[in-house]
Amino acid sequence: MIATASKETAMRKGAIVKSESAPALEIKHIAEPQLEFGFGQKLEYPRDGLYLYGPVSSAASISQVRYGVIGTAEGVRRFQSWSQMVSGFIGIPEPTIRSRTVEPQHIPFPGFEQAFAAKWSAKPTETISDIDTDRLQNALKIRNRHEAIKSAVSMYVERLIAAQDRLENPPSFWFVVIPEEVYALGRPQSKVLKAEQIQGQVTISASRARNLEVEPTLFGEEEKEADVYKYAAHFRRQLKARLLKDRIVTQIVRETTLTPKEFVTESGWPLRRLEDPATVAWKLCTGAYYKAGGRPWQLADVRPGVCYVGLVYKRTNPQGGDRYACCAAQMFLSDGDGVVFRGALGPWYSPDTRQYHLDLSNARKLIRVVVQEYKRLHGKAPAELFIHARSAFAEDEWKGFEQGCPRGTNLVGVQIRDARDDLKLFRTGKYPVIRGTAAILTKRNAFLWTSGYVPRLDTYMGPETPNPIQVKVQKGRCALETVLSDVLGLTKINFNSCLYNDRLPVTIRFADAVGDVLVSAPMDGEPKLPFKYYI
């Protein structure tokens, strides 16, 4: 059964309205993409493949994970307790009275070395445990939130950069263990009780800082103080952004995630509602293996020479006004690895259409650097290059992409947007629509359910009726079912976790997160960095 919004609303949003004269939607099912693991074996579920066969055999395989850890003394202790635990087997939750059976999505964690075929030492390669708890808490309580977050982030950043410079062979990545206070107070909307606020050093207001961008002072004294507003009032984003130029990879983890039993309320209830230890281990350890240089799995049976690019935009507000935005491109290959290319800052945002568009020149430059990187990796240009974006493609923008793309490469522009309010599809029975269901509107436009009932898991991992995404082949030529299959596959290569799938393809899923990092500190870092630096 198909349900749409009201006729007037649906017509305004471009959705199909069912009427007597309108043809019925064509419903198809796109087969679940397979993933490749060790020994060339193929399965749907990452945890199945890693448990049975280990990571995919490739040049990215590693024999040992070299990691560091930074935190307070208690944070490091908690991490070492967790690190020891993931060295061995972690079972799955016992059946509950309600379910009576083990839920199929739960897979025991066999131990890091057994899952990833790489040596894992419970003792980190390098440890920094002198983050002072009292000093950190005082920094977070500074009244000016930009100053507060910058001060707290500096306590970690300065030590990480010093270690990077000091060590001849630094860790491949660092676990950054944060107390719960950092999570609670390290975000833009966080509030500090007035009685606990601390007066900091910054006296200049945010509005005065913006004015100085246009009318600087003679001696630049106020500008030094105003510099704090160039850093986002968000701990995670600012930390990632400030470490880009030093090429330091991090995995941020809360202390409460590592040892949840140590954090309870006065009544004895857990402070946080967490997933079971095996699930937490699968997620954190998959991210760790990837950030250490390994590749857990890759898409199987992918067409040779295919390259996917996701466009990233993030609005900023320098002296150019609210039209200004930062642009970047995320390039992903069939093996799942990605590279982020930082583009130009410019007036890419249109308040009228609420969409982002590059001009011809910058669109050409951006695609040229993507193709150049692909050639460096493969020795030749891609056979197919798909550009994914939330916005439609403007004519001049697309001409720039075409000019930057070499002859012989099939260039295709795909618009992917959320369709939460446009269409509902209901299925008889206990569970909702099956993942991979597609409602075909035209030969170039369809709704695709990337979330829904999954036979392998025998459940739907969601709280309500699943919503589709809309996939439209807006520019270029490619069979719609091929594009839908590609999009479905790209929902399965999030190496920062170990889920069956995400709802959005990786080209779109992390666009906001990458954009947030790019604008969270002055952009003086590398213009091209692997994707793992941003997540």
Side-chain angles (χ1 to χ4, degrees), residues 305-307 333 370-382:
V306 67
C307 176
L333 307 177
V370 170
V371 172
Q372 183 179 1
E373 177 66 10
Y374 187 96
K375 286 181 177 179
R376 186 187 70 82
L377 295 172
H378 297 276
K380 59 182 178 180

Side-chain angles (χ1 to χ4, degrees), residues 466-502:
N467 296 299
I469 61 175
Q470 188 171 11
V471 181
K472 182 186 293 185
V473 182
Q474 198 194 31
K475 298 289 184 179
R477 293 184 176 276
C478 185
L480 180 60
E481 286 194 39
T482 299
V483 173
L484 295 177
S485 181
D486 286 356
V487 169
L488 204 63
L490 291 170
T491 66
K492 299 176 73 79
I493 54 174
N494 175 6
F495 296 150
N496 202 42
S497 189
C498 198
L499 301 171
Y500 186 90
N501 65 277
D502 283 324

Side-chain angles (χ1 to χ4, degrees), residues 69-116:
V69 60
I70 179 173
T72 65
E74 276 295 280
V76 170
R77 177 190 65 78
R78 290 179 172 119
F79 175 84
Q80 290 178 335
S81 175
W82 176 85
S83 178
Q84 183 65 50
M85 181 179 68
V86 299
S87 298
F89 181 88
I90 303 175
I92 58 178
E94 295 291 331
T96 63
I97 296 177
R98 182 178 179 182
S99 66
R100 298 178 182 272
T101 58
V102 175
E103 295 178 346
Q105 73 269 21
H106 288 295
I107 301 295
F109 185 73
F112 192 97
E113 293 188 26
Q114 287 71 25
F116 298 99

Side-chain angles (χ1 to χ4, degrees), residues 192-370:
V192 179
L193 296 176
K194 193 170 183 179
E196 298 180 358
Q197 290 179 0
I198 297 174
Q199 180 60 48
Q201 302 297 316
V202 175
T203 58
I204 193 171
S205 67
S207 60
R208 175 57 180 160
R210 286 194 295 269
N211 290 337
L212 290 173
E213 294 278 350
V214 182
E215 300 177 358
T217 61
L218 181 60
F219 298 104
E221 291 301 319
E222 282 190 288
E223 283 82 349
K224 293 179 182 178
E225 194 171 320
D227 184 71
V228 71
Y229 291 102
K230 296 178 181 178
Y231 298 84
H234 193 292
F235 184 92
R236 177 195 168 277
R237 297 171 188 169
Q238 188 185 138
L239 179 81
K240 297 277 185 182
R242 292 173 62 180
L243 294 174
L244 290 179
K245 66 179 180 179
D246 293 284
R247 302 177 70 89
I248 297 175
V249 183
T250 57
Q251 176 72 49
I252 300 174
V253 60
R254 295 157 67 178
E255 292 181 12
T256 51
T257 300
L258 300 173
T259 55
K261 292 182 179 179
E262 295 185 15
F263 297 90
V264 295
T265 64
E266 293 182 358
S267 57
W269 291 96
L271 185 65
R272 288 176 59 199
R273 184 179 178 181
L274 280 170
E275 295 172 299
D276 63 282
T279 298
V280 172
W282 275 118
K283 291 183 175 181
L284 286 180
C285 290
T286 300
Y289 180 75
Y290 168 60
K291 291 183 177 181
R295 190 167 301 139
W297 60 83
Q298 65 185 25
L299 290 172
D301 306 317
V302 175
R303 304 181 306 283
V306 67
C307 176
Y308 306 97
V309 175
L311 295 184
V312 175
Y313 294 98
K314 195 67 181 180
R315 289 175 65 186
T316 182
N317 190 26
Q319 56 200 33
D322 64 355
R323 286 177 54 84
Y324 266 67
C326 173
C327 173
Q330 307 170 94
M331 180 184 80
F332 293 93
L333 307 177
S334 61
D335 60 16
D337 208 359
V339 179
V340 175
F341 305 88
R342 192 178 73 233
L345 180 69
W348 315 134
Y349 179 72
S350 170
D352 296 330
T353 63
R354 297 184 180 180
Q355 292 191 347
Y356 297 88
H357 297 294
L358 291 172
D359 59 24
L360 187 148
S361 175
N362 281 285
R364 181 175 60 237
K365 290 177 183 177
L366 194 61
I367 288 302
R368 279 180 176 172
V369 298
V370 170

Side-chain angles (χ1 to χ4, degrees), residues 172-184:
S172 301
F173 75 101
W174 292 81
F175 280 102
V176 178
V177 183
I178 59 172
E180 203 61 16
E181 292 87 351
V182 171
Y183 177 80

